[in-house]
């Protein structure tokens, strides 16, 4: 027999995530990428299937000495998980200081210091400190934003810490025939370990002997039902076999002795840990969009800066003057407040989502969820309630629906039926589950229980339907019990129960596998009366059993027997080991089936996802029948859509004869997925709209996510178990469960659902889409003012006129008046079609696209620049300098030694008087930009709807932003002392008005543009201007 087992193990071993070789230091030539690819593979494991002789020859041990254990420990290392290498914090900080716009601003700052130092050295008189202060401000902006960004990024992944918390501190080991407690980290391959209920498994163990041991593998496989363990291999798949206990899973009840054959990183869980922590996570979609935006603006800034630096040389300007032009172009092009705007927008949305039970760990993940086109959802606890619940009963030859709603508002059945009274009695008495104390105020379905999931479900069902199970048990004292075991497949108990009709004082009750219960019965209970069991009853039983099993439910049979008083008096001594009571001739009472039912809000959430163009895929470790049943009940598989199995059953043909393309839905088993190539997987994802993956391993979940991403999807993954952590980490956004989720899954995820409800994801999708829309609006608003900021320097060089707008004044706009209004757009409510659009195309639908640049720069920006120059020329004209006279006046204007410069009317102006007039023009140009930005802010509220549809006053924060920027502009203009620091001078009241007509024109122009968008959808205006 051992040889047969051995041959089986070699011929068709199941591939799973463990090595066959002892842990050793990886080759220095092997790259991190190779290691990760190795971890993704499902390598051969047959330690559970080979004979004990071969296992011991492969892993010499069993009763090893302390000295030998020390040698193995030296060879393999400690039984613990190796933390991944991390990037030093100073490198992370340096990246924040010298990336993106920061490099441009550093260049601008250095040029400012260079310009000031050169002027200071070359001139006898002390130079103006404008360049010094500008250099300090630019450096300050870089450092502050760098610190801010570093703080956000510092919330680095702590996945390994979560795995470390799963490792038990001590283990009971047998060495040299002696039992001892040692640190679990000192366990070695070949050790013999004792495990009991409540322990955490300290390594991968092959069972030597088991006494009713059950383990909770839910963190590894996703199954909520505890699994019994024995010393015989029952399946080639190590995750399914009963003779392996996995590192870090929990023993629920019973005792066992096991042989250590894997430790530390080499365990199944160790490989998952290394895979999850070692995965390289790509940039989030919003980061890619901002990087794309930075590249555009940097390109524009460098091109314009270098071009005009060269042009100024060509036109005969001095080096210092050319450097001033370069600084001005850089400062005008870079939106210094962008990072703050984006971060505040994301933070506000994250707070809004937290109020809706979505806790965001990574701010950038807020927008990612809105970009999601595929959701790979775990089943247990996400789509379902994560508690086994009685869903159906079969008695009196009829299937009855149990109420599985969370608030018990569903339909019910006749609870006074004699058959139901008997069935509920057996369910209550033949049951070891109890409610934990001090939960009287907790709803029955939400109470915690001691005992396995199925018995807890039966307890809650009877407590809800009949009431006070504890009192029922007290009235019917248990006098004998045979616990459930995998050989008998039933549980039996005998209770005091006076029944004069049956001349009995004792009632034997049994529950277990339906077919085992049925074969022990000779009668059946119908409408409260016993009848002989006939073929019709058996056929009805089989039909009900198949129907409930086909729904993916766990079915239990229930029967009882009144023990005759003359053979079994009240004081009869029963013996459960040497059975001295009947084990057949029972009366079959009925069936009860259980399932982890779907959450009530999930079907509607799935429907909303579908209408928003989001594909929902179920990826679970549970059984395919159960997964399919839940998928159909929540709408992941739509009504009327068939799998190949459904088509084969309908046409009464073999599954092999069905063309897979004919099926719109499919259910893929993990063992089937194992044999498929990447191309096959891509074909499945492309050609099936509704997909369920069942019995998947952690590596397969990761491969599914990578397959979706390779097809161009932005993928969100939901999960709660350790087995989900690699997929959560690899996904564009990982969503963990806050209540049922493991620490590892929470640390791998970007977002946590505090209520474990899939429906909360739909809220997140809407918020994510809204933030992308609002960021687009905010950037459109911010960029528009770049043209009136750049154009003064261009005119300054080309027309050789006095500078219309200073660099410090530009910073007053970017970091002052524009900041609150830009942030206020984050509060803008959603437009009406936000959840009816398809997910955005990450390739073509950019945050900043050609159309946005065209509208911001080429249309609105030009109108704003015209407003600024209009105010500039009016002020100079009123002071004697007519527009034509200003051309080629710059050299004389900026000459310190020229104190008798004549204007158009012959009046003489000193250098100081001219500079005061120039700075007044700067202030007027600044005020004009503020006034035209009023209109720009209002038109940015909506991209398609009319302002009258969206509501002009719908965003109170935006209204306050208008007031803020106006008040700040007045403060900067009229506050005493600011003429020294900011070079801002008081304006005459009438100088505020020249820009007002331009502001009105901007509003009218954009309202007409949006009218044409709505009037002619898909037309030229939409193609060229809808951003």
């Amino acid at each position: 027999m051992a040889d047969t087992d051995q041959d089986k193990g070699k011929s068709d071993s199941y591939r799973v995530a463990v090595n066959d070789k002892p842990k050793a230091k990886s080759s220095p030539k092997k790259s991190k990428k190779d290691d990760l690819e190795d971890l993704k593979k499902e390598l051969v494991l047959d330690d559970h299937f080979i004979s004990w002789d071969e296992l011991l020859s492969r892993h010499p041990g069993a009763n090893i000495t302390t000295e030998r254990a020390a040698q193995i420990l030296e060879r393999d290392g400690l039984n613990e998980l190796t933390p991944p290498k991390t990037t030093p914090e100073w490198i992370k900080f340096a990246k924040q200081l010298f990336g993106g716009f920061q490099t441009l601003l550093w260049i601008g700052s250095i040029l400012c210091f260079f310009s000031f130092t050169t002027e200071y050295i070359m001139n006898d008189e002390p130079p103006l400190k404008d360049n010094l202060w500008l250099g300090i401000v630019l450096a300050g902006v870089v450092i502050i934003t760098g610190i801010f960004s570093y703080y956000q990024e510092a919330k680095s992944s702590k996945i390994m810490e979560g795995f470390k918390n799963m490792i038990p501190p001590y283990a009971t080991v047998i060495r040299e025939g002696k039992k001892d407690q040692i640190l679990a980290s000192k366990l070695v391959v070949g050790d013999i370990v004792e495990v009991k209920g409540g322990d955490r498994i300290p390594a991968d163990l092959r069972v030597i002997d088991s006494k009713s041991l059950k383990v909770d593998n839910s963190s590894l496989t996703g199954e909520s039902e505890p699994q019994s363990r024995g010393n015989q291999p029952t399946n080639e798949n190590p995750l399914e076999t009963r003779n392996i206990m996995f590192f870090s899973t929990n023993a629920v009840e019973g005792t066992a002795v096991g042989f250590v054959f894997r430790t530390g990183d080499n365990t199944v869980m160790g490989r998952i840990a290394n895979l999850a922590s070692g995965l390289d996570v790509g940039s989030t979609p919003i980061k890619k969009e901002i990087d794309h935006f930075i590249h555009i603006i940097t390109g524009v800034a460098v091109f314009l800066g270098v071009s005009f630096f060269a042009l100024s040389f060509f036109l005969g300007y001095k080096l210092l003057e050319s450097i001033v032009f370069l600084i001005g172009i850089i400062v005008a092009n870079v939106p210094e407040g962008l990072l703050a705007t984006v971060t505040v927008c994301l933070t506000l949305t994250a707070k809004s989502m937290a109020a809706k039970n979505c806790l965001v760990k990574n701010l950038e993940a807020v927008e990612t969820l809105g970009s999601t086109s595929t959701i790979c959802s775990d089943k247990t606890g996400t789509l379902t309630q994560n508690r086994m619940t009685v869903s159906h009963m079969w008695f009196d030859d009829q299937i009855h629906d149990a109420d599985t709603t969370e608030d018990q508002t569903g339909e019910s059945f006749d609870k006074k039926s004699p058959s139901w009274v008997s069935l509920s009695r057996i369910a209550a008495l033949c049951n070891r589950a109890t409610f934990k104390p001090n939960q009287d105020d907790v709803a029955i379905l939400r109470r915690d229980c001691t005992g396995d999931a199925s018995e807890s479900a039966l307890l809650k069902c009877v407590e809800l339907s009949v009431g006070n199970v504890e009192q029922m048990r007290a009235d019917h004292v248990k006098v004998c019990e045979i616990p459930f075991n995998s050989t008998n497949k039933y549980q039996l108990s005998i209770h005091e129960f006076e029944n004069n009709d049956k001349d009995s004082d004792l009632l034997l009750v049994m529950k277990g596998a339906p077919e085992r219960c049925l074969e022990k019965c000779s009668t059946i209970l119908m409408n409260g009366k016993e009848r002989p069991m006939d073929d019709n009853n058996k056929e009805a039983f089989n039909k009900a059993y198949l129907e409930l099993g086909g729904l993916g439910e766990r079915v239990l049979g229930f029967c009882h027997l009144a023990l005759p008083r003359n053979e079994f008096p009240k004081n009869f001594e029963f013996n459960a080991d040497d059975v001295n009571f009947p084990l057949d001739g029972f009366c079959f009472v009925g069936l009860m089936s259980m399932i982890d039912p779907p959450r009530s809000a999930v079907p509607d959430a799935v429907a909303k996802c579908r209408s928003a163009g989001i594909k929902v895929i179920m990826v679970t470790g549970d059984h395919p029948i159960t997964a399919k049943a839940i998928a159909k009940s929540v709408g992941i598989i739509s009504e009327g859509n068939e799998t190949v199995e459904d088509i084969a059953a309908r046409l009464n043909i073999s599954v092999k004869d069905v063309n897979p393309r004919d099926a719109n839905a499919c259910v893929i088993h993990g063992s089937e997925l194992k044999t498929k190539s990447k191309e096959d997987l891509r074909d499945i994802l492309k050609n099936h709209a509704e997909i369920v993956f069942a019995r998947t391993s952690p590596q397969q979940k990761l491969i599914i996510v990578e397959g979706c991403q390779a097809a161009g999807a932005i993928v969100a993954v939901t999960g709660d178990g350790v087995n989900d952590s690699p997929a959560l980490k690899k996904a564009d956004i990982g969503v963990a469960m806050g209540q049922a989720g493991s620490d590892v899954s929470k640390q791998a995820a970007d977002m946590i659902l505090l209520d474990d409800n899939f429906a909360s994801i739909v809220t997140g999708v809407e918020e994510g889409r809204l933030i992308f829309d609002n960021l687009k609006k905010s950037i459109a608003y911010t960029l528009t003012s770049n043209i009136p900021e750049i154009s003064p320097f261009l005119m300054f060089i080309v027309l050789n006129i006095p500078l219309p707008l200073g660099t410090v004044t530009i910073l007053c706009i970017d970091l002052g008046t524009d900041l609150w209004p830009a942030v206020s757009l984050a509060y803008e409510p959603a437009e009406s079609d936000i959840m009816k659009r398809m997910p955005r195309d990450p390739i073509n639908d950019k945050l900043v696209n050609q159309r946005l640049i065209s509208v911001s720069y080429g249309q609105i920006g030009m109108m704003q620049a015209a407003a600024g120059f209009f105010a500039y020329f009016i002020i100079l004209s009123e002071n004697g300098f007519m527009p034509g006279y200003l051309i080629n006046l710059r050299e004389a204007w900026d000459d310190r030694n020229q104190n008798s410069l004549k204007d158009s009317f012959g009046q003489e102006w000193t250098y100081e008087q001219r500079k005061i007039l120039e700075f007044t023009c700067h202030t007027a140009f600044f005020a004009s930009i503020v006034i035209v930005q009023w209109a720009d802010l209002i038109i940015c509220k909506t991209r398609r709807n009319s302002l009258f549809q969206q509501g002009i006053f719908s965003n109170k924060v935006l209204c306050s932003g208008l007031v803020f920027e106006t008040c700040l502009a007045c403060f900067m203009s009229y506050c005493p002392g600011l003429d020294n620091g900011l070079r801002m001078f008081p304006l005459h009241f009438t100088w505020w008005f020249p820009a007002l007509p331009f502001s009105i024109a901007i509003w009218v122009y954009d309202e007409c543009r949006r009218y044409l968008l709505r009037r002619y959808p898909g037309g030229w205006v939409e193609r060229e201007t809808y951003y």
Side-chain angles (χ1 to χ4, degrees):
M1 182 70 186
D3 292 335
T4 307
D5 288 348
Q6 183 176 336
D7 292 339
K8 276 185 184 178
K10 286 183 176 177
S11 64
D12 190 23
S13 296
Y14 179 83
R15 296 169 183 275
V16 77
V18 276
N19 286 318
D20 263 340
K21 298 174 185 177
K23 181 165 81 174
K25 292 181 180 177
S26 58
S27 166
K29 293 182 181 179
K30 201 169 186 182
S31 68
K32 181 183 174 185
K33 184 177 179 182
D34 292 334
D35 287 336
L36 278 175
E37 289 303 316
D38 187 45
L39 288 169
K40 288 178 187 177
K41 293 177 184 174
E42 301 198 23
L43 303 177
V44 175
L45 169 65
D46 59 358
D47 291 274
H48 64 296
F49 224 71
I50 59 178
S51 67
W52 277 105
D53 290 340
E54 187 171 350
L55 184 71
L56 291 175
S57 67
R58 182 182 291 178
H59 307 295
N63 206 21
I64 58 177
T65 63
T66 305
E67 290 76 17
R68 176 62 182 148
Q71 292 170 4
I72 298 172
L73 194 67
E74 178 69 26
R75 181 194 73 192
D76 292 351
L78 292 171
N79 177 35
E80 58 188 19
L81 304 179
T82 308
K85 291 180 180 178
T86 56
T87 306
E89 295 300 314
W90 69 269
I91 292 179
K92 291 181 184 177
F93 184 55
K95 284 181 179 179
Q96 298 300 334
L97 287 181
F98 298 99
F101 287 139
Q102 285 89 327
T103 305
L104 272 182
L105 293 178
W106 276 123
I107 291 170
S109 179
I110 291 167
L111 289 174
C112 287
F113 291 132
F114 174 76
S115 176
F116 173 78
T117 306
T118 306
E119 278 192 88
Y120 188 82
I121 293 170
M122 294 178 67
N123 294 335
D124 295 332
E125 296 179 24
L128 294 173
K129 295 183 179 179
D130 293 25
N131 286 331
L132 176 64
W133 290 118
L134 184 59
I136 292 170
V137 169
L138 291 176
V141 168
V142 174
I143 292 168
I144 291 168
T145 53
I147 292 170
F148 196 72
S149 299
Y150 171 75
Y151 172 74
Q152 294 299 331
E153 293 290 329
K155 300 170 183 175
S156 56
S157 176
K158 298 180 180 177
I159 294 173
M160 270 305 194
E161 292 181 19
F163 277 102
K164 286 179 180 177
N165 293 336
M166 299 173 68
I167 303 170
Y170 293 96
T172 303
V173 66
I174 300 171
R175 287 181 181 169
E176 302 180 68
K178 297 177 183 176
K179 193 183 295 186
D180 193 15
Q181 281 256 336
I182 66 168
L183 288 170
S185 60
K186 298 293 180 68
L187 280 179
V188 297
V189 172
D191 268 331
I192 307 296
V193 174
E194 270 194 9
V195 176
K196 63 181 185 300
D199 287 350
R200 190 164 279 173
I201 310 301
D204 282 356
L205 309 176
R206 176 164 168 174
V207 179
I208 298 171
D209 182 47
S210 170
K211 293 180 181 176
S212 304
L213 184 79
K214 286 188 177 181
V215 292
D216 177 8
N217 281 351
S218 60
S219 65
L220 192 61
T221 64
E223 287 181 288
S224 53
E225 188 74 20
Q227 309 294 306
S228 58
R229 300 289 94 170
N231 61 3
Q232 294 300 316
T234 56
N235 198 307
E236 290 185 23
N237 179 346
L239 296 177
E240 303 282 346
T241 190
R242 292 186 175 178
N243 67 330
I244 287 186
M245 296 180 281
F246 293 104
F247 174 58
S248 85
T249 58
N250 292 309
V252 178
E253 61 184 43
T255 60
V257 177
F259 175 87
V260 177
F261 68 94
R262 304 277 172 188
T263 59
D265 290 338
N266 218 25
T267 60
V268 173
M269 198 67 80
R271 285 183 64 86
I272 296 173
N274 284 306
L275 183 56
S277 62
L279 282 170
D280 286 325
V281 183
S283 299
T284 60
I286 193 65
K287 182 151 194 330
K288 290 176 184 174
E289 293 301 326
I290 291 172
D291 288 345
H292 173 254
F293 170 54
I294 287 172
H295 291 150
I296 292 172
I297 299 302
T298 303
V300 170
V302 170
F303 173 75
L304 289 177
V306 172
S307 299
F308 281 91
F309 182 76
L311 180 62
S312 60
F313 257 138
F314 177 74
L315 294 175
Y317 289 94
K318 296 177 183 176
L319 176 64
L320 284 181
E321 293 172 329
S322 300
I323 288 174
V324 170
F325 303 152
L326 183 56
I327 293 168
I329 295 292
I330 290 173
V331 172
N333 267 289
V334 176
E336 289 83 4
L338 175 72
L339 180 66
T341 303
V342 170
T343 305
V344 171
C345 288
L346 294 174
T347 304
L348 290 172
T349 307
K351 285 184 177 179
S352 170
M353 289 174 71
K356 299 173 184 175
N357 292 314
C358 294
L359 180 64
V360 179
K361 287 173 57 188
N362 175 6
L363 282 182
E364 290 176 353
V366 175
E367 190 281 326
T368 307
L369 198 52
S371 304
T372 298
S373 57
T374 300
I375 298 175
C376 293
S377 178
D378 187 33
K379 176 183 73 69
T380 308
T382 310
L383 300 172
T384 63
Q385 297 174 23
N386 197 29
R387 51 171 178 257
M388 290 294 283
T389 306
V390 175
S391 53
H392 294 96
M393 303 87 150
W394 178 76
F395 57 88
D396 293 341
D397 199 11
Q398 190 175 350
I399 293 177
H400 301 271
D401 290 333
D403 187 355
T404 59
T405 57
E406 290 159 88
D407 53 1
Q408 287 291 289
T409 55
E411 296 179 4
S412 191
F413 54 90
D414 181 12
K415 296 179 181 177
K416 294 180 181 177
S417 160
S419 298
W420 167 244
V421 171
S422 296
L423 184 59
S424 60
R425 184 190 301 127
I426 301 170
L429 298 180
C430 191
N431 190 329
R432 303 174 81 176
T434 58
F435 289 117
K436 290 182 179 178
N438 305 319
Q439 296 188 90
D440 294 340
D441 297 334
V442 181
I444 291 170
L445 280 177
R446 297 186 178 278
R447 290 182 188 174
D448 292 328
C449 302
T450 56
D452 72 34
S454 296
E455 293 203 327
S456 299
L458 294 172
L459 172 65
K460 291 175 181 178
C461 174
V462 178
E463 184 80 14
L464 275 169
S465 179
V466 180
N468 209 337
V469 171
E470 191 176 341
Q471 185 60 48
M472 188 191 300
R473 291 174 177 175
D475 293 341
H476 306 297
V477 178
K478 186 190 297 183
V479 295
C480 181
E481 181 180 40
I482 298 178
F484 180 89
N485 64 60
S486 56
T487 306
N488 294 336
K489 293 189 176 179
Y490 64 76
Q491 178 182 348
L492 176 152
S493 59
I494 301 171
H495 299 261
E496 294 179 0
F497 184 79
E498 190 172 339
N499 186 340
N500 291 323
D501 292 341
K502 295 280 187 181
D503 194 23
S504 170
D505 290 322
L506 298 164
L507 180 70
L508 183 153
V509 291
M510 176 189 283
K511 80 167 189 289
E515 65 276 8
R516 295 304 300 271
C517 289
L518 188 74
E519 69 187 21
K520 293 180 178 295
C521 295
S522 57
T523 61
I524 187 168
L525 193 69
M526 286 288 174
N527 299 312
K529 295 179 181 178
E530 277 192 45
R531 295 178 182 174
M533 179 84 69
D534 58 24
D535 290 341
N536 288 335
N537 297 135
K538 289 180 180 179
E539 187 179 340
F541 161 86
N542 283 325
K543 184 180 177 184
Y545 185 19
L546 287 171
E547 184 176 339
L548 295 175
L551 294 174
E553 300 180 2
R554 186 181 187 206
V555 188
L556 293 176
F558 296 82
C559 53
H560 66 199
L561 175 68
L563 298 174
R565 190 176 286 152
N566 57 351
E567 291 183 47
F568 300 98
K570 254 189 178 181
N571 57 356
F572 184 86
E573 289 190 13
F574 293 94
N575 190 331
D577 296 321
D578 185 13
V579 176
N580 57 354
F581 48 86
L583 289 179
D584 53 23
F586 299 162
C587 173
F588 193 84
V589 177
L591 301 169
M592 294 178 78
S593 65
M594 285 149 286
I595 198 168
D596 183 7
R599 293 174 177 272
S600 56
V602 169
D604 183 52
V606 171
K608 282 183 178 176
C609 285
R610 191 163 278 129
S611 69
I614 299 170
K615 187 174 185 176
V616 181
I617 298 174
M618 181 191 287
V619 185
T620 179
D622 214 339
H623 196 280
I625 295 175
T626 308
K628 184 178 177 182
I630 294 295
K632 284 190 169 182
S633 66
V634 300
I636 290 176
I637 296 180
S638 308
E639 189 175 352
N641 278 353
E642 295 179 310
T643 63
V644 287
E645 293 82 8
D646 295 332
I647 295 172
R650 176 168 54 81
L651 300 176
N652 198 23
I653 59 175
S654 169
V655 171
K656 293 179 182 177
D657 297 331
V658 179
N659 182 356
R661 298 284 178 90
D662 293 340
N664 197 36
C666 67
V667 179
I668 307 292
H669 194 287
S671 59
E672 185 184 346
L673 183 61
K674 179 181 66 174
T675 63
K676 293 190 180 295
S677 65
K678 289 183 178 179
E679 289 70 27
D680 293 334
L681 177 59
R682 193 177 299 119
D683 189 60
I684 290 169
L685 294 169
K686 180 181 178 182
N687 296 306
H688 294 89
E690 299 170 350
I691 307 173
V692 172
F693 292 100
R695 280 288 191 258
T696 52
S697 69
Q699 284 71 18
Q700 288 173 335
K701 291 187 177 188
L702 177 60
I703 289 165
I704 291 164
V705 171
E706 290 180 333
C708 293
Q709 290 173 328
I714 292 179
V715 184
V717 171
T718 71
D720 57 358
V722 175
N723 57 331
D724 299 316
S725 58
L728 286 168
K729 180 83 180 294
K730 181 62 180 176
D732 295 290
I733 175 168
V735 183
M737 303 300 110
Q739 296 174 5
S742 62
D743 288 344
V744 177
S745 67
K746 290 176 188 175
Q747 284 162 354
D750 304 296
M751 185 180 293
I752 298 170
L753 299 184
L754 300 178
D755 58 355
D756 288 14
N757 195 345
F758 180 84
S760 299
I761 294 175
V762 179
T763 304
V765 169
E766 186 169 351
E767 291 284 354
R769 290 187 174 190
L770 176 60
I771 198 63
F772 187 81
D773 279 7
N774 287 349
L775 273 176
K776 199 179 262 276
K777 294 171 184 178
S778 184
I779 286 173
Y781 168 80
T782 305
L783 286 186
T784 305
S785 61
N786 278 11
I787 292 299
E789 291 172 358
I790 295 168
S791 53
F793 288 93
L794 305 189
M795 296 301 104
F796 177 54
I797 295 170
V798 175
L799 300 181
N800 213 11
I801 61 175
L803 185 63
L805 184 69
T807 47
V808 174
T809 323
I810 291 172
L811 286 178
C812 291
I813 297 167
D814 291 350
L815 297 174
T817 57
D818 268 2
L819 206 53
W820 187 339
V823 170
S824 72
L825 285 164
Y827 291 90
E828 192 62 32
E831 294 182 48
S832 55
D833 65 339
I834 194 163
M835 286 301 282
K836 294 174 184 173
R837 304 178 202 153
M838 295 298 287
R840 75 176 181 88
D841 180 352
I843 296 171
N844 297 316
D845 189 6
K846 296 289 187 184
L847 182 66
V848 178
N849 53 31
Q850 187 179 349
R851 296 182 297 280
L852 187 145
I853 296 289
S854 169
V855 171
S856 295
Y857 279 11
Q859 297 166 45
I860 309 300
M862 290 297 185
M863 296 167 78
Q864 290 193 348
F869 279 109
F870 185 52
Y872 167 79
F873 285 125
I874 281 179
I875 292 174
L876 285 173
S877 296
E878 287 186 6
N879 283 275
F881 292 94
M882 302 306 288
Y885 187 75
L886 293 171
I887 297 172
N888 293 320
L889 185 65
R890 187 198 62 81
E891 289 182 8
W893 183 278
D894 287 337
D895 186 354
R896 286 174 175 271
N897 299 317
Q898 175 61 275
N899 285 305
S900 58
L901 181 66
K902 292 182 179 180
D903 60 20
S904 302
F905 302 102
Q907 299 176 97
E908 293 185 348
W909 291 74
T910 65
Y911 175 77
E912 188 175 339
Q913 289 171 334
R914 296 195 303 272
K915 282 299 170 184
I916 290 173
L917 179 59
E918 180 185 323
F919 293 142
T920 305
C921 288
H922 291 185
T923 309
F925 207 109
F926 162 78
S928 297
I929 292 175
V930 170
I931 289 167
V932 289
Q933 281 289 73
W934 293 347
D936 188 28
L937 182 62
I938 291 168
I939 65 172
C940 284
K941 280 171 62 69
T942 169
R943 294 192 292 152
R944 184 181 290 273
N945 290 344
S946 166
L947 280 168
F948 300 105
Q949 290 173 298
Q950 186 78 357
I952 295 176
F953 302 107
S954 59
N955 185 344
K956 292 182 173 58
V957 180
L958 184 142
C959 296
S960 65
L962 287 169
V963 174
F964 165 79
E965 68 174 330
T966 308
C967 292
L968 184 59
C970 292
F971 174 79
M972 288 179 171
S973 176
Y974 298 112
C975 179
L978 288 185
D979 54 336
N980 292 322
L982 301 179
R983 303 294 178 187
M984 303 279 265
F985 282 74
L987 294 179
H988 190 276
F989 179 71
T990 56
W991 292 344
W992 288 85
F993 291 103
L996 206 53
F998 292 87
S999 191
I1000 296 168
I1002 287 171
W1003 179 76
V1004 172
Y1005 169 80
D1006 206 67
E1007 192 67 26
C1008 293
R1009 181 184 68 86
R1010 278 182 273 110
Y1011 169 76
L1012 293 174
L1013 280 178
R1014 297 190 302 276
R1015 183 74 177 81
Y1016 303 104
W1020 181 85
V1021 175
E1022 179 168 328
R1023 291 195 306 272
E1024 295 299 324
T1025 70
Y1026 180 65
Y1027 57 85

